[in-house]
Amino acid sequence: MADDIRIRVRYFASLREQLGSGEEQVVPAGATAADLWAAAMRRAPSLRRTRVRFAVNAEYVDADHRLAEGDELAVFPPMSGG
Amino acid sequence: MTIAVRPGPIDAGALLAAVGDPRAGCSVLFLGTTRSTNVGRRVTRLEYEAYERMAVQQMRALAREAKRRWPLRRVAMVHRLGVVPVGEASVGIAVSAGHRAEGFAAAHWLIDRLKEIVPIWKKEHFRGGAVWIGAQQGGPPPRRRTRAAPARVSAARRKRLR
């Protein structure tokens, strides 16, 4: 049985308005960014239409990136700076 | 290298001063400003939000990459956060270089890449509502691009010229 890990999730812009700014979560070791996002979409099914990108500890990662203890996962809707 | 993400008006003079260099033959300043209309909407203001520490990191990385691609002297970039009224600047980019061709090219590349990879978002407030710009009409088109070689940058740049 895998250990659990503690991570922090952060949402921005339109995602923040629907999900809140984020929170600490305890998830199974080996969980991926995509796993966390799938769980968020179950809370807010309208988010399925949003194309998101992930960053862990402020670096872009792929959706299949495995999270580690203490990581900060950020989920971004399409960016619109400038 | 002046790189910042913060609330408050952007000081264009300070950006130019930050790239001042006696070896430079030009300084190029780009300001992105809040337009009064967007896709037919009467815009009243824009409101910006960022993942601040990553935004600064990404802007620093872009400045370093620009210096690898072109023989630049100095680079300065500031993005404003919070409310930006119509007519005011939300982003300022200044570069100095030996000659104008690389100065213009680098400034153009920097604003294009900033829009693609720096985690900043704008909410457009208009008469009758507000909407986050990004995925939907009115924002930059969704588009995937791998790290562009200079030749591909100029192709993309032509497409993005308005």
Side-chain angles (χ1 to χ4, degrees):
Chain A
M1 186 66 191
D3 293 335
D4 286 343
I5 56 171
R6 185 177 299 272
I7 62 150
R8 179 172 169 73
V9 184
R10 295 187 65 177
Y11 302 113
F12 294 90
S14 56
L15 303 184
R16 176 180 55 70
E17 287 188 347
Q18 292 183 69
L19 295 167
S21 60
E23 65 279 307
E24 291 230 326
Q25 289 189 22
V26 176
V27 300
T32 63
D35 293 336
L36 272 285
W37 180 237
M41 286 192 294
R42 285 194 286 277
R43 284 159 58 194
S46 66
L47 295 176
R48 286 180 199 288
R49 294 193 307 270
T50 307
R51 282 160 21 96
V52 298
R53 293 173 76 176
F54 302 105
V56 169
N57 303 328
E59 299 279 354
Y60 284 113
V61 297
D62 292 330
D64 61 1
H65 181 90
R66 290 186 188 283
L67 299 165
E69 173 71 26
D71 277 350
E72 178 172 278
L73 169 68
V75 188
F76 301 152
M79 281 166 266
S80 55
Chain B
M1 194 156 68
T2 298
I3 304 283
V5 173
R6 61 181 178 226
I10 290 175
D11 182 341
L15 274 171
L16 284 172
V19 299
D21 187 314
R23 296 165 300 175
C26 77
S27 297
V28 173
L29 173 67
F30 170 82
L31 294 177
T33 54
T34 299
R35 252 196 323 271
S36 61
T37 59
N38 191 31
V39 291
R41 299 187 289 251
R42 293 278 290 275
V43 176
T44 54
R45 65 188 186 279
L46 296 177
E47 188 178 354
Y48 287 86
E49 166 178 336
Y51 182 17
E52 292 184 38
R53 77 177 166 121
M54 183 169 170
V56 170
Q57 275 175 227
Q58 293 288 317
M59 285 160 69
R60 286 202 185 108
L62 286 179
R64 281 194 301 272
E65 176 67 16
K67 285 180 164 177
R68 274 196 293 272
R69 286 167 178 253
W70 292 279
L72 306 179
R73 290 302 177 190
R74 292 170 190 271
V75 176
M77 308 171 80
V78 175
H79 203 297
R80 186 169 173 180
L81 296 182
V83 170
V84 180
V86 168
E88 293 190 17
S90 53
V91 60
I93 295 175
V95 303
S96 57
H99 300 277
R100 68 186 182 284
E102 52 260 36
F104 278 122
H108 201 157
W109 181 86
L110 281 165
I111 183 59
D112 282 359
R113 289 297 283 155
L114 179 147
K115 285 169 171 276
E116 289 171 349
I117 68 163
V118 177
I120 298 178
W121 300 267
K122 63 163 102 38
K123 190 175 196 177
E124 180 189 297
H125 295 263
F126 55 90
R127 292 256 184 95
V131 64
W132 285 101
I133 303 296
Q136 73 290 15
Q137 202 185 15
R143 174 168 96 78
R144 286 183 70 84
R145 197 168 85 192
T146 52
R147 286 205 185 88
R152 297 193 52 194
V153 170
S154 40
R157 210 153 55 206
R158 277 195 297 276
K159 250 194 308 191
R160 289 177 74 89
L161 279 173
R162 295 185 203 178

